[in-house]
Amino acid sequence: MIGAAVFIGFFAVAFFAFALFVDPRRLWWRFRAPHFEHPEAHEPSTASFTVRRVVMVVLAIFLGWQAVGLLRLAGVFETRPDHAEVLDRLESAVGVIETDGNGGRYKVSGQEGSWGDFINPLLEAPGDDPYASLVSESGDVERYEVDGICLTVTATPLPGQSEMAHAVDNLMYSVKTDVVDRESRWDSRS
């Protein structure tokens, strides 16, 4: 894929250089004019030459954009956050979803656990985003893994909720989290 990106990038640079540094009128007189008996009558207008240059620049920009896209797909521009940044993002995310003694949250049943839909948008930032993937779920405890960091979310139903809320599973929960960084634990043992 990198070879294709370099090939496309070469043509992008060539088209851009050709559009900026080669005089199309002089090129026409050199290669096309000798084929006509009266070349002055057949010479293209200045607007025609300008349009050709603009098209070449647009084509060069498009090809350059495609080459950069291929290089991104190949992983050349890896923008993955480092471990400390992921840990900071996760700690600020759990600070948002945790509840104090007075409030609660509703669960969102998603594909990746009940709390993954809350956590993952909070982890987003410029660059490639880390992703909280559900590892295990038992009762009110869900365990997630985010780039080597363990996150445990414990959700306890708040007392005093109506029977209707219990029947339709529309309960408010007290949410507590625990973040364990496996890397720092291994570093401290060394």
Side-chain angles (χ1 to χ4, degrees):
M1 190 168 307
I2 293 175
V6 169
F7 184 75
I8 292 171
F10 171 77
F11 277 100
V13 170
F15 285 151
F16 194 71
F18 193 76
L20 293 181
F21 301 117
V22 175
D23 182 16
R25 185 175 310 278
R26 190 179 243 181
L27 197 65
W28 188 88
W29 277 99
R30 171 76 173 100
F31 293 105
R32 295 292 294 158
H35 298 285
F36 298 108
E37 190 174 327
H38 301 289
E40 299 83 16
H42 297 282
E43 180 181 15
S45 67
T46 304
S48 172
F49 290 130
T50 303
V51 167
R52 289 178 192 181
R53 280 188 170 191
V54 168
V55 168
M56 297 269 297
V57 168
V58 169
L59 184 60
I61 291 170
F62 175 74
L63 288 175
W65 178 62
Q66 293 297 317
V68 169
L70 283 173
L71 290 173
R72 278 195 188 123
L73 282 175
V76 172
F77 303 120
E78 189 64 39
T79 58
R80 193 114 183 108
D82 64 352
H83 185 77
E85 184 180 345
V86 172
L87 184 62
D88 287 343
R89 287 188 201 179
L90 186 59
E91 286 174 347
S92 66
V94 298
V96 171
I97 68 166
E98 274 192 354
T99 59
D100 57 5
N102 300 331
R105 288 199 173 275
Y106 289 105
K107 265 188 182 179
V108 176
S109 297
Q111 297 173 341
E112 284 291 324
S114 301
W115 304 104
D117 290 337
F118 284 114
I119 297 164
N120 285 321
L122 297 172
L123 294 175
E124 293 178 358
D128 293 335
D129 297 322
Y131 185 76
S133 57
L134 183 66
V135 175
S136 69
E137 182 176 8
S138 62
D140 292 336
V141 178
E142 295 179 1
R143 288 186 173 79
Y144 295 88
E145 192 273 329
V146 182
D147 287 351
I149 303 168
C150 297
L151 168 65
T152 303
V153 179
T154 306
T156 310
L158 292 174
Q161 297 187 57
S162 69
E163 289 183 27
M164 177 64 108
H166 282 280
V168 296
D169 195 27
N170 191 20
L171 299 172
M172 296 232 9
Y173 290 86
S174 171
V175 180
K176 299 293 179 205
T177 61
D178 182 32
V179 176
V180 178
D181 183 9
R182 287 189 219 162
E183 284 189 16
S184 67
R185 186 174 62 185
W186 289 112
D187 292 342
S188 64
R189 288 184 184 178
S190 299

